[in-house]
Amino acid sequence: QVQLEESGGGLVQPGASLRLSCAASGGAFNRHTVAWFRQTPGKEREVVAALRWGEGSTHYLDSVKGRFTISRDRSKNTVYLQMNSLKREDTAVYYCAASASRLIVSRLWDGDNYDYWGQGTQVTVSS
């Protein structure tokens, strides 16, 4: 049973950067797809970035392309989300999630396809 723990959220000003971390325990990422979701009150959760661990392919929500980067550290069994040029609309609770198997691209945008979830970390972008 994989357990995920996020860290790195906080309060920053517009234009600043943050790096979120998602550390896995209880099992190693292998053929998983790992994604960062975010959710704000009254809105559906959305995938902001996903990484297919096996081949390392990455996928991004259009609104974060060029600003966010998802990456991995195999030795630490950890996935990161580097967020640059943060905007107020990036304010949300960010969740790390992992599927038990590799997801095809069309399925990685749906949270129902993920099996493991972290507890979430708050990111607030405000002046």
Side-chain angles (χ1 to χ4, degrees):
Q1 179 80 3
V2 174
Q3 295 177 326
L4 305 176
E5 182 173 1
E6 304 102 333
S7 60
L11 170 63
V12 296
Q13 294 186 338
S17 298
L18 276 176
R19 189 178 78 159
L20 306 182
S21 299
C22 173
S25 60
F29 289 135
N30 187 2
R31 291 179 55 81
H32 299 74
T33 295
V34 184
W36 285 97
F37 286 76
R38 66 185 180 189
Q39 188 166 27
T40 55
K43 291 184 66 176
E44 289 192 8
R45 65 188 173 190
E46 60 182 0
V47 173
V48 294
L51 181 149
R52 295 196 291 185
W53 191 268
E55 72 264 32
S57 63
T58 57
H59 310 271
Y60 296 94
L61 183 69
D62 283 347
S63 63
V64 307
K65 284 181 180 177
R67 299 189 298 122
F68 290 11
T69 302
I70 188 170
S71 63
R72 63 183 173 179
D73 185 326
R74 289 181 179 271
S75 66
K76 296 182 179 179
N77 213 31
T78 298
V79 173
Y80 303 98
L81 184 67
Q82 178 67 43
M83 304 185 293
N84 298 329
S85 302
L86 282 161
K87 303 177 181 180
R88 289 182 176 84
E89 52 264 41
D90 295 318
T91 295
V93 178
Y94 284 71
Y95 297 91
C96 177
S99 68
S101 59
R102 180 180 178 273
L103 296 177
I104 60 174
V105 174
S106 62
R107 291 175 60 85
L108 60 80
W109 305 103
D110 184 348
D112 290 343
N113 295 320
Y114 290 81
D115 304 286
Y116 312 108
W117 291 82
Q119 80 287 353
T121 185
Q122 177 71 46
V123 172
T124 302
V125 184
S126 174
S127 55

